[in-house]
Amino acid sequence: MRNIHILFLLLFSFKLSAQPALNRPPANRTDTSGTRSAVVDSVRPDSLRTDSVIKKSATGLNSEIQYTAVDSINFSIDGNIIYLYGNGRIAYEDLELDADYIRIDQKNKLLFARGRNDKYNVYRGRPIFKQGADNPVTTDSLFFNFETKKGTLFGTATSMDGGFIQARKSKKNEYNEVSLKHGIYSTCNLPEPHTHFGIHITKGLVTDKQVISGPAYLEIEHIPIPLGLPFGFFPKMNKRASGFRFPSFGEDANRGFYMQGIGWYLGINDYWDADILGTIYSKGSWDINTAARYKVNYKYSGSVNLSFSSIKSPNAIEGTAGNTASKQFNVQWSHSQDQSANPGTTLSANVNFGTSSYFQQTAASGTYDYNSIVRNSMSSSIAYGRTFFDGLFNFTSALRHSQDISAKTVNLTLPSFNLSMTTINPFDRKDRVGEQKWFQRIAVGYTLEGSNTFNGPEEGLFKKENLQKFQNGMQHNIPVSLSMNVLKFLQFNTGVNYSERWSFQTVSKSLEGDSTVTTDTIPGFARNYNYSLNGGFSTKIYGMKTFKKGNLVALRHVMTPSVNFNYTPDFSDPRFGFYRDIATNGFAVNDSVKRVSRYSRFEGTMYGGPGRGRSASIGFSIDNNIEAKVKAKSDTSNAFEKIPIIQGLTFSGNYNFAADSLKLSTISFGGRTAFFKQKIGINFSGSFDPYQVMNEKGYPVRINKFLIKDGKLARLSSLSLSTDFSFNSSALRERNEELRKRQDDPNITPSQQQDIRNILNNPNYYVDFTVPWNFSAAYSFNYTNNGLRSFITNTLNFNGDLSVTPKWKVVFNSGYDFRAKEISLTRFSINRDLHCWDMSFGWTPFGRYKSYSFDIRVRASILQDLKLRRRSALPLNY
């Protein structure tokens, strides 16, 4: 982003790569030296060279001239003139020059260079001229005086502060100033900008810090615009600079016509930059957004986005109470730390919080992004981690926030922490020789976690009475386990798990009157604990079915059954002291019978307390994987390929012998399968209920009676199906992979690194014209049956793009809600590739967010680099 301090350049703000522009060849400049032609014509065949050579001249110059050539090096009869053919190169003091043909006149201290026409009449090998710290300059031909350091360049092209300058003729003096005539300042780096927004400069002067122009006018698509100035100047900087942000225009059905994204770019330094942008609507609403980005190489990077909106109801009458503007805000912050910056320590942040209706009211900050508009939750996390004692212990801590948008409730965790110890074998020896004995396999672990949380309404969050409702506590876990093989094919696992919870408040319940129960919170430290025993067996069973005909060679079935036993005492027993009793009257009217109600002293605390009742259950599960072995169609040899058919089809449940009733749990299942060479995957899960249900005043109540007694094995109580697929996604993956590689390139500029981060974080905001088409879709289906009635919801969302021509692309995003029988948020956009600019027209045809927009902006510089690099058929020195 560069600042342009003349009126017509305030209309445009851009970020461009610093690659030198190139010009079409004019008529070749002829060398008027009388001796040169004779010498060139008299070149002997044995003087041609196939490799580079380096020689030094002994002249009256201040320094020696170093020169090389790939084709040949020739000398005049008196030895004063040197001719370099084929990728010639010279170096003299701070001057560097590369060209296909170079003539060095040592006596007169003059230099001439030009390119050549190849057999296809394409002008190649243009001179590339560099002096000192200046950017390289590409010319058609040039003259240069070694003594006066003055030169004349024809067909000049160079980069300048993110833009590109081309001139028919330019001269350079001893003060490192360049005078140019009939120049073009453009955002396009093509030899002749075929589609560009540029400035035509009749005369100009380029210095170290600025470009001063004479009469200049603006040209768009080769059409001169009656907007010009008699003079002006362009600041010439090698660092970020502030500049004006040109807005886009459109109309929103609710808020009216708008001017979006107008504001200022702040190039603070090489590590920080920011945008301050605003949007104004004709019906009185407005938005303001501040987006700052930062990065320190090999240390950390991140971005901060602060948004505030004032939304007026479109149907409110001016001057009435309903005309009050709705205030909405949103804060987003992301931060990541380079792993090499501080090994063993991590710090990351991903914050997103604000008013619940921000995304719906502002149409996702004017982006009309479907996923943001329909989101029903927001969450944040700031995490810190560190390992110590040679990795034996790992400490993590986090500040978390979650927000239910529909219920307008907030859950805060300020903070939580976890200290865990790597599992160790205390009875094993470091110098052990041979296999482990059974007692050496005993493993012990330890985890300590703590948390301080608040859960309440969004409104009045920071009021004093709400801040006093935080819950806090700590929990210790010590698992002890043993694993070994039994009878060669069985894997045996057993263990003991001990948990202890510390709480800083408990509850006490008492009876007031005949039936009113009051609950009081008692501050003070209290502890509770529980322990359990477990053990189990698992194994793998393999099955194979072979076929002699057809392409299907075999089917392979791998089944993994497991059985485990778990025992937990009844910690509601009075001897533990974790539960208390309270006597209340019966629930029936005029019932004088006292009933005992048992409650936990730790209910509602941070980690709660142990559960009620004794548990002695057997758990069971069976996992299935089925794959096919087929002949490879693309290979005439005896090659085969494996195709997964069903992956992870699992059934699980448990039976509690100690329960009074409903001893068998529901049977859960889940798995995954895929079609069309794994391009379309389907995930499914659900549960079966083996018990009957009775109608209790309109509510389903499970009873202790199996459905099998009525001739049914079980009832399908829930089923979920989901699938998503993307065609031609490999092209997008290749682009993102290339971008990630470029992000680590130390030679790219900070602005290009920011471009890459924006593209990777917001892939839908950028259109890649090199991908001819792309289509993605996601479908979800949910079925629930409580025994009395069933419910079904299913939705379909899809998006994609299509290149109608190499320069025109249509992008779409839509979906359908089958239950509501309506089309989801639908948006179309038409994009035009203007080489170094992009033009787009967006349209939301119906619904609450009905709108359209028109936008034209400079393409991210990194995308230009990638696109030009992919044009491999284009010579680099054309």
Side-chain angles (χ1 to χ4, degrees):
M1 175 65 59
R2 299 296 183 259
N3 185 22
I4 300 179
H5 288 271
I6 55 178
L7 176 59
F8 46 77
L9 284 181
L10 286 178
L11 298 176
F12 305 100
S13 173
F14 44 81
K15 293 181 182 176
L16 294 172
S17 62
Q19 300 294 329
L22 303 175
N23 278 49
R24 295 184 184 278
N28 292 338
R29 307 292 174 184
T30 59
D31 192 343
T32 57
S33 172
T35 61
R36 182 191 59 189
S37 299
V39 173
V40 173
D41 293 339
S42 63
V43 174
R44 299 187 304 274
D46 59 355
S47 66
L48 298 177
R49 302 178 185 272
T50 58
D51 58 345
S52 299
V53 297
I54 299 178
K55 292 190 176 183
K56 296 183 179 179
S57 62
T59 68
L61 297 175
N62 296 330
S63 303
E64 292 181 329
I65 302 175
Q66 296 183 359
Y67 54 88
T68 66
V70 173
D71 190 352
S72 62
I73 299 177
N74 297 320
F75 302 85
S76 62
I77 295 175
D78 57 5
N80 286 325
I81 302 178
I82 306 173
Y83 303 93
L84 308 180
Y85 296 93
N87 293 333
R89 177 178 176 81
I90 71 168
Y92 174 75
E93 294 182 349
D94 62 347
L95 169 68
E96 297 179 24
L97 174 66
D98 293 88
D100 190 80
Y101 168 74
I102 301 176
R103 185 177 70 86
I104 307 171
D105 187 340
Q106 301 179 96
K107 180 179 180 180
N108 297 315
K109 303 175 183 178
L110 294 176
L111 170 69
F112 173 78
R114 61 171 171 81
R116 67 179 178 86
N117 289 322
D118 64 5
K119 62 181 181 179
Y120 302 107
N121 201 31
V122 176
Y123 196 62
R124 301 181 184 277
R126 279 184 172 82
I128 301 177
F129 180 86
K130 186 178 186 301
Q131 189 168 13
D134 293 344
N135 291 327
V137 178
T138 303
T139 70
D140 292 328
S141 59
L142 66 88
F143 290 96
F144 185 78
N145 189 304
F146 289 107
E147 185 174 15
T148 64
K149 293 189 177 181
K150 295 182 180 180
T152 302
L153 295 81
F154 302 91
T156 309
T158 185
S159 62
M160 195 284 292
D161 194 34
F164 301 94
I165 287 185
Q166 304 179 40
R168 294 183 184 177
K169 184 178 180 180
S170 59
K171 292 184 178 181
K172 187 170 185 177
N173 60 26
E174 65 271 25
Y175 304 107
N176 203 28
E177 297 175 343
V178 178
S179 300
L180 57 90
K181 186 176 182 180
H182 298 298
I184 298 175
Y185 180 91
S186 174
T187 61
C188 186
N189 62 350
L190 290 180
E192 181 179 345
H194 60 285
T195 300
H196 81 294
F197 291 70
I199 309 301
H200 274 255
I201 304 172
T202 55
K203 293 181 179 180
L205 178 67
V206 180
T207 67
D208 290 336
K209 295 183 178 180
Q210 61 188 359
V211 177
I212 304 172
S213 74
Y217 60 91
L218 179 66
E219 182 176 283
I220 300 177
E221 288 271 16
H222 297 297
I223 301 175
I225 303 300
L227 179 62
L229 289 176
F231 65 90
F233 73 92
F234 308 83
K236 185 171 180 285
M237 305 177 185
N238 292 321
K239 61 181 182 180
R240 290 174 174 169
S242 303
F244 178 75
R245 281 286 198 183
F246 192 71
S248 60
F249 302 90
E251 182 186 8
D252 186 281
N254 293 321
R255 292 175 285 180
F257 293 97
Y258 61 77
M259 182 171 60
Q260 185 181 68
I262 186 172
W264 201 259
Y265 171 82
L266 298 174
I268 302 172
N269 52 42
D270 289 339
Y271 308 105
W272 280 84
D273 70 341
D275 282 301
I276 301 177
L277 306 176
T279 301
I280 303 173
Y281 297 87
S282 61
K283 293 185 179 180
S285 300
W286 54 270
D287 303 333
I288 187 169
N289 177 274
T290 301
R293 297 158 292 269
Y294 58 89
K295 180 174 183 179
V296 178
N297 286 335
Y298 311 114
K299 289 187 177 181
Y300 55 81
S301 63
S303 63
V304 181
N305 194 313
L306 308 176
S307 303
F308 183 84
S309 299
S310 176
I311 310 296
K312 281 195 172 183
S313 173
N315 301 319
I317 301 175
E318 189 71 27
T320 63
N323 194 43
T324 304
S326 171
K327 307 299 182 182
Q328 307 290 331
F329 77 92
N330 181 257
V331 177
Q332 297 183 27
W333 174 39
S334 65
H335 177 90
S336 61
Q337 178 181 290
D338 195 306
Q339 293 182 354
S340 61
N342 194 354
T345 303
T346 60
L347 176 64
S348 64
N350 190 357
V351 175
N352 182 11
F353 75 91
T355 52
S356 296
S357 55
Y358 173 81
F359 291 100
Q360 291 79 13
Q361 293 288 336
T362 64
S365 193
T367 63
Y368 299 91
D369 179 66
Y370 175 79
N371 293 326
S372 297
I373 291 175
V374 302
R375 69 190 309 164
N376 55 19
S377 65
M378 288 187 291
S379 61
S380 306
S381 176
I382 303 174
Y384 169 82
R386 184 180 179 183
T387 59
F388 47 93
F389 292 131
D390 294 330
L392 179 62
F393 287 93
N394 180 46
F395 175 80
T396 59
S397 180
L399 306 175
R400 293 189 179 90
H401 144 267
S402 62
Q403 194 168 347
D404 190 318
I405 291 178
S406 58
K408 294 187 177 182
T409 58
V410 176
N411 183 279
L412 299 177
T413 302
L414 306 172
S416 66
F417 69 88
N418 182 286
L419 175 65
S420 60
M421 182 186 73
T422 303
T423 302
I424 60 174
N425 300 100
F427 303 107
D428 200 1
R429 295 183 301 177
K430 294 183 179 180
D431 57 350
R432 171 179 51 82
V433 178
E435 295 185 358
Q436 286 179 315
K437 297 180 180 179
W438 72 267
F439 60 89
Q440 293 175 327
R441 294 177 178 270
I442 297 176
V444 179
Y446 173 74
T447 301
L448 167 65
E449 57 182 320
S451 188
N452 180 45
T453 66
F454 166 82
N455 193 358
E458 172 188 319
E459 187 176 357
L461 174 63
F462 299 104
K463 291 182 178 180
K464 183 178 180 180
E465 55 270 22
N466 285 332
L467 296 177
Q468 295 175 348
K469 297 180 180 178
F470 273 88
Q471 295 180 336
N472 39 63
M474 290 188 288
Q475 177 173 260
H476 307 261
N477 285 295
I478 303 177
V480 180
S481 61
L482 171 64
S483 177
M484 64 179 68
N485 290 324
V486 178
L487 301 178
K488 192 176 181 178
F489 299 107
L490 295 177
Q491 181 70 27
F492 172 71
N493 297 279
T494 186
V496 178
N497 188 75
Y498 177 83
S499 296
E500 181 169 319
R501 290 163 287 273
W502 294 353
S503 178
F504 299 98
Q505 60 271 330
T506 57
V507 298
S508 176
K509 295 185 177 183
S510 60
L511 183 65
E512 290 187 2
D514 292 334
S515 59
T516 303
V517 178
T518 60
T519 302
D520 297 320
T521 300
I522 309 299
F525 175 80
R527 59 181 286 269
N528 66 81
Y529 60 87
N530 68 287
Y531 51 85
S532 61
L533 306 175
N534 62 81
F537 292 91
S538 65
T539 188
K540 287 186 178 293
I541 301 174
Y542 298 88
M544 179 80 74
K545 173 65 176 178
T546 58
F547 302 89
K548 297 181 179 180
K549 296 182 179 180
N551 293 327
L552 180 61
V553 178
L555 285 175
R556 185 175 185 242
H557 180 199
V558 180
M559 186 166 52
T560 307
S562 64
V563 178
N564 59 78
F565 174 78
N566 294 274
Y567 174 77
T568 302
D570 183 7
F571 288 97
S572 65
D573 191 288
R575 63 190 176 92
F576 292 103
F578 303 148
Y579 283 78
R580 291 180 179 174
D581 297 332
I582 181 174
T584 63
N585 287 336
F587 295 101
V589 179
N590 298 323
D591 188 353
S592 60
V593 178
K594 293 289 185 178
R595 298 188 179 184
V596 176
S597 176
R598 181 163 293 182
Y599 71 94
S600 171
R601 296 172 53 218
F602 300 92
E603 68 179 38
T605 58
M606 185 65 250
Y607 293 101
R612 293 182 59 181
R614 186 169 62 97
S615 174
S617 63
I618 289 181
F620 52 88
S621 69
I622 182 169
D623 181 81
N624 300 270
N625 284 279
I626 302 175
E627 62 181 12
K629 184 178 181 182
V630 299
K631 294 181 180 178
K633 296 181 180 179
S634 59
D635 200 324
T636 56
S637 63
N638 294 325
F640 302 95
E641 59 179 332
K642 296 180 180 180
I643 301 176
I645 298 177
I646 296 179
Q647 305 173 54
L649 177 58
T650 304
F651 296 88
S652 62
N654 66 81
Y655 189 89
N656 187 2
F657 292 94
D660 296 332
S661 62
L662 303 176
K663 296 183 178 183
L664 181 62
S665 69
T666 57
I667 309 300
S668 302
F669 67 91
R672 183 182 185 276
T673 186
F675 304 97
F676 305 109
K677 296 183 178 180
Q678 307 298 305
K679 289 185 177 181
I680 300 179
I682 298 178
N683 297 285
F684 56 90
S685 63
S687 62
F688 293 101
D689 191 343
Y691 289 100
Q692 297 184 16
V693 173
M694 66 176 294
N695 190 338
E696 184 72 29
K697 297 181 180 180
Y699 294 95
V701 177
R702 299 173 72 206
I703 60 176
N704 194 31
K705 184 178 180 181
F706 287 105
L707 278 169
I708 198 170
K709 295 182 178 181
D710 290 342
K712 299 178 182 180
L713 184 61
R715 182 185 76 257
L716 180 63
S717 56
S718 66
L719 174 65
S720 296
L721 296 172
S722 64
T723 181
D724 58 83
F725 56 89
S726 177
F727 294 109
N728 204 32
S729 60
S730 59
L732 298 178
R733 287 197 299 268
E734 291 175 1
R735 185 199 73 175
N736 292 340
E737 184 64 28
E738 190 171 8
L739 285 171
R740 292 187 180 94
K741 291 179 181 178
R742 290 294 300 274
Q743 190 177 21
D744 298 329
D745 187 351
N747 298 321
I748 66 175
T749 64
S751 62
Q752 289 177 324
Q753 291 177 340
Q754 181 59 45
D755 290 337
I756 293 176
R757 289 197 295 272
N758 291 339
I759 296 168
L760 293 175
N761 294 334
N762 307 283
N764 295 327
Y765 292 170
Y766 296 88
V767 179
D768 192 343
F769 286 88
T770 62
V771 179
W773 63 273
N774 184 63
F775 181 81
S776 301
Y779 173 78
S780 63
F781 173 89
N782 291 281
Y783 167 84
T784 58
N785 184 352
N786 59 16
L788 300 180
R789 59 183 68 88
S790 60
F791 305 89
I792 294 178
T793 60
N794 53 343
T795 58
L796 172 68
N797 296 313
F798 55 87
N799 62 81
D801 55 68
L802 174 66
S803 294
V804 182
T805 70
K807 301 295 183 181
W808 288 94
K809 183 180 283 287
V810 177
V811 181
F812 56 90
N813 189 318
S814 186
Y816 188 79
D817 189 329
F818 292 91
R819 183 177 182 182
K821 297 182 180 180
E822 62 181 23
I823 298 177
S824 306
L825 176 66
T826 300
R827 186 167 179 81
F828 299 93
S829 65
I830 301 174
N831 299 269
R832 174 70 164 94
D833 179 8
L834 302 177
H835 181 246
C836 49
W837 290 71
D838 281 332
M839 180 179 68
S840 65
F841 175 79
W843 178 42
T844 302
F846 48 78
R848 175 183 178 183
Y849 303 100
K850 180 179 179 181
S851 61
Y852 68 85
S853 63
F854 178 76
D855 195 14
I856 184 167
R857 66 180 61 189
V858 175
R859 179 178 300 159
S861 60
I862 196 70
L863 289 184
Q864 295 183 58
D865 295 345
L866 292 174
K867 189 169 184 180
L868 286 175
R869 191 166 68 183
R870 289 174 183 165
R871 295 174 178 173
S872 57
L874 190 64
L876 294 178
N877 60 345
Y878 74 109

